Amino acid sequence: MSMNQRTQPSLDDCKAIFAQHGGTDLPYLEHHWPRFAKTKQEVEKTRPLPEHAAILDIGAHWLHQALPYALDGHQVTALDLPVTMTEPNVVRAAQATNIRLLANEDLEHPAALATLDDDSFDVILFTEIIEHITFNPVAMWREVYRVLKPGGRIVVTTPNYYALRGRLWRPGRLLHRFGGGLEVAQILNLHTYAHHWKEYSLRELIYYFCLLSPDFNCIKAAHLMAYSDNYLEVRGGTATRWIESALPILRPSLHLEVELPHKAQGIAVEPHW
């Protein structure tokens, strides 16, 4: 199938595949499907993917985002924690759609990424992951840089810190002297990776990659509207949606595409104490 003939796999297409191989977390798939579809559309709008593109999905969970790319004929590698990558239904769905699975316990020590060849991926998906990182990520980014082809892209999506419906606009906590950021009850009651430990502005996210390597070039940076009416925890009325439409900086989601035109200087950051 040529690039111009490709169609977007549907939610029903993906549901059918998962149903044939033991099921999946359907509520999660249905809730996040608008984000998966919108991200794929934005990636292909920026620049059409080559046929049989090599795609690495870091943080692939139950293959919900990886599957549409595989159904489009791309060569997909999915990486996540062993708890999901070894689930029998995930394994069966991956085998049926030629998705390669990689399990990595701790991305601070990216052992699974180290098994991949240099310059082997056209696109690396890093969607709704960066806000969950709780460790110094430089070793991980060294591996990502190494396996990304010259001319390839990293695709990052993440919540917008300045979103109108975001955690920034919660003055009640300030007035009651309960600080900002994560709430104490969340830190104690949820697993580490359940939290959004650090949310970014779009300018901050661009700066992040500028610091990582002078070889990186941001080719797309966008504030996106809510992926669907029911996507966000805080519902917005007509006035909220109008404000978000008029003022992009207040929109809930960020979409960043970072190209690696050539490899010259590598990852330039050296963490220190």
Side-chain angles (χ1 to χ4, degrees):
M1 186 182 292
S2 72
M3 288 184 290
N4 293 330
Q5 292 174 319
R6 284 202 192 106
T7 57
Q8 177 85 306
S10 70
L11 175 58
D12 287 340
D13 293 333
C14 293
K15 282 183 176 181
I17 295 288
F18 288 122
Q20 292 167 15
H21 298 95
T24 190
D25 186 335
L26 280 178
Y28 187 94
L29 172 61
E30 291 169 344
H31 179 76
H32 288 274
W33 178 258
R35 172 169 64 85
F36 302 144
K38 178 63 174 175
T39 300
K40 190 170 184 290
Q41 289 169 358
E42 289 291 331
V43 167
E44 292 173 339
K45 186 190 303 182
T46 304
R47 184 170 67 240
L49 297 173
E51 286 194 79
H52 312 301
I55 296 174
L56 173 61
D57 185 3
I58 298 178
H61 301 300
W62 301 283
L63 310 183
H64 293 169
Q65 178 170 239
L67 186 57
Y69 293 90
L71 294 179
D72 247 359
H74 299 303
Q75 303 166 38
V76 179
T77 299
L79 183 149
D80 209 312
L81 297 169
V83 68
T84 55
M85 293 293 93
T86 58
E87 283 191 6
N89 56 328
V90 171
V91 173
R92 287 193 294 268
Q95 290 172 341
T97 54
N98 296 315
I99 296 175
R100 179 184 179 185
L101 299 181
L102 290 179
N104 202 113
E105 187 68 50
D106 178 6
L107 279 175
E108 186 176 8
H109 308 287
L113 287 173
T115 67
L116 300 171
D117 292 336
D118 294 354
D119 306 334
S120 51
F121 292 98
D122 298 289
V123 173
I124 296 177
L125 301 172
F126 202 75
T127 63
E128 311 301 300
I129 300 299
I130 199 166
E131 67 272 15
H132 296 281
I133 288 179
T134 60
F135 53 84
N136 185 289
V138 170
M140 179 195 71
W141 288 118
R142 288 191 198 283
E143 290 298 324
V144 169
Y145 178 101
R146 181 183 64 78
V147 303
L148 186 62
K149 293 179 182 180
R153 286 178 279 169
I154 302 168
V155 178
V156 179
T157 67
T158 190
N160 175 19
Y161 178 70
Y162 288 107
L164 182 61
R165 292 180 258 178
R167 67 166 57 155
L168 175 64
W169 315 107
R170 296 181 184 175
R173 289 184 64 191
L174 174 65
L175 294 174
H176 289 90
R177 292 176 292 156
F178 270 100
L182 289 176
E183 296 182 18
V184 172
Q186 289 183 313
I187 292 173
L188 297 178
N189 287 312
L190 298 176
H191 288 295
T192 296
Y193 289 116
H195 304 297
H196 288 191
W197 288 96
K198 162 69 177 165
E199 292 183 352
Y200 295 82
S201 70
L202 190 58
R203 185 176 184 182
E204 192 177 24
L205 205 58
I206 295 168
Y207 181 56
Y208 182 109
F209 283 92
C210 289
L211 283 180
L212 274 175
S213 176
D215 296 339
F216 285 139
N217 178 37
C218 178
I219 60 172
K220 187 170 194 171
H223 296 89
L224 299 185
M225 296 289 287
Y227 295 112
S228 69
D229 287 342
N230 298 318
Y231 188 79
L232 298 174
E233 181 180 348
V234 179
R235 296 293 301 274
T238 301
T240 297
R241 290 192 294 272
W242 185 89
I243 293 169
E244 290 171 343
S245 178
L247 297 172
I249 196 173
L250 299 179
R251 293 175 187 172
S253 298
L254 306 179
H255 180 104
L256 190 76
E257 296 183 35
V258 181
E259 187 178 47
L260 181 60
H262 56 268
K263 293 186 175 182
Q265 300 186 57
I267 297 297
V269 179
E270 290 290 347
H272 58 83
W273 295 103

